[in-house]
Amino acid sequence: MTSKLIESKINRQNILNNEYAISEVQNFFEFEQVTFEGKIRFLKEEIATFFEVDTRTIDRYIERYNEELTYNGYEILRGQRLKEFIELHNSKVNDTNVVDLPKTIPALGVFDFKSFLNLAMLLTNNENAKVVRNIILDISIDTINRKAGGSTKYINQRDEDFLDS
């Protein structure tokens, strides 16, 4: 199933559209990042550190999968929203976080949790991303299983599959 998650945009989106499962995955990780406009936000540098890759790798994935990542919550902040984000981010920076953001940048790309998970599904040869994918699948299947009364074996199982078992 993990390989199908990596290879298929539709399968990735099926997982990412399950808001209840995504919420469960977010609770599992308990990230202490900046919450802006009701969503956890990650900087590219934080994502690169988590996956132990260079920021240029993240840039390449943003360029290649921009439409998919944007659909799932990656965005470029500008203007007043950027100013508010920088103020919030800089007020929460501590010894373990990225340095203060400069107040004069014209734009800043940020990931929300859903786009972070999307990127984990796209980073095919990354061990940390593989761990994240396995967690996503385990929690998603468990969540669907609870909702379906305990008879789900795989994510795309249809109602007629319940009748055959």
Side-chain angles (χ1 to χ4, degrees):
M1 179 63 180
T2 302
S3 65
K4 291 180 182 178
L5 187 62
I6 294 168
E7 297 165 4
S8 170
K9 181 178 178 179
I10 292 170
N11 287 342
R12 290 190 299 269
Q13 204 57 55
N14 283 340
I15 296 289
L16 294 170
N17 286 342
N18 185 338
E19 293 295 330
Y20 186 76
I22 296 303
S23 177
E24 294 285 319
V25 173
Q26 185 172 329
N27 290 339
F28 177 85
F29 280 105
E30 298 179 349
F31 284 118
E32 293 185 21
Q33 300 302 328
V34 173
T35 300
F36 179 69
E37 297 176 341
K39 294 181 181 181
I40 291 177
R41 304 297 176 132
F42 302 92
L43 301 175
K44 174 178 55 178
E45 293 78 9
E46 294 166 334
I47 299 280
T49 299
F50 181 87
F51 289 118
E52 298 176 353
V53 297
D54 192 276
T55 56
R56 292 174 296 187
T57 299
I58 304 301
D59 287 335
R60 284 191 299 273
Y61 277 84
I62 291 170
E63 185 176 324
R64 183 172 180 190
Y65 297 99
N66 189 282
E67 184 179 328
E68 182 177 344
L69 290 166
T70 300
Y71 180 80
N72 287 309
Y74 173 78
E75 66 177 313
I76 307 293
L77 299 178
R78 292 181 173 85
Q80 185 61 32
R81 290 181 69 223
L82 174 60
K83 181 180 176 183
E84 291 170 9
F85 179 81
I86 289 172
E87 287 176 14
L88 180 63
H89 179 273
N90 288 350
S91 73
K92 297 196 178 224
V93 170
N94 59 36
D95 294 336
T96 61
N97 277 5
V98 178
V99 296
D100 284 348
L101 292 171
K103 295 180 180 177
T104 57
I105 56 175
L108 179 69
V110 293
F111 292 81
D112 69 0
F113 189 73
K114 196 170 165 181
S115 57
F116 160 78
L117 295 179
N118 190 182
L119 189 60
M121 294 178 199
L122 296 168
L123 288 166
T124 56
N125 296 321
N126 183 279
E127 284 303 312
N128 290 345
K130 181 179 178 181
V131 170
V132 172
R133 287 191 300 272
N134 287 332
I135 291 168
I136 293 168
L137 286 174
D138 289 346
I139 291 175
S140 295
I141 290 171
D142 186 49
T143 300
I144 293 168
N145 200 23
R146 279 184 276 146
K147 292 246 182 216
S151 59
T152 304
K153 297 176 187 168
Y154 48 92
I155 289 178
N156 288 331
Q157 182 172 340
R158 305 288 188 251
D159 289 339
E160 60 267 16
D161 295 331
F162 289 117
L163 300 174
D164 294 337
S165 54

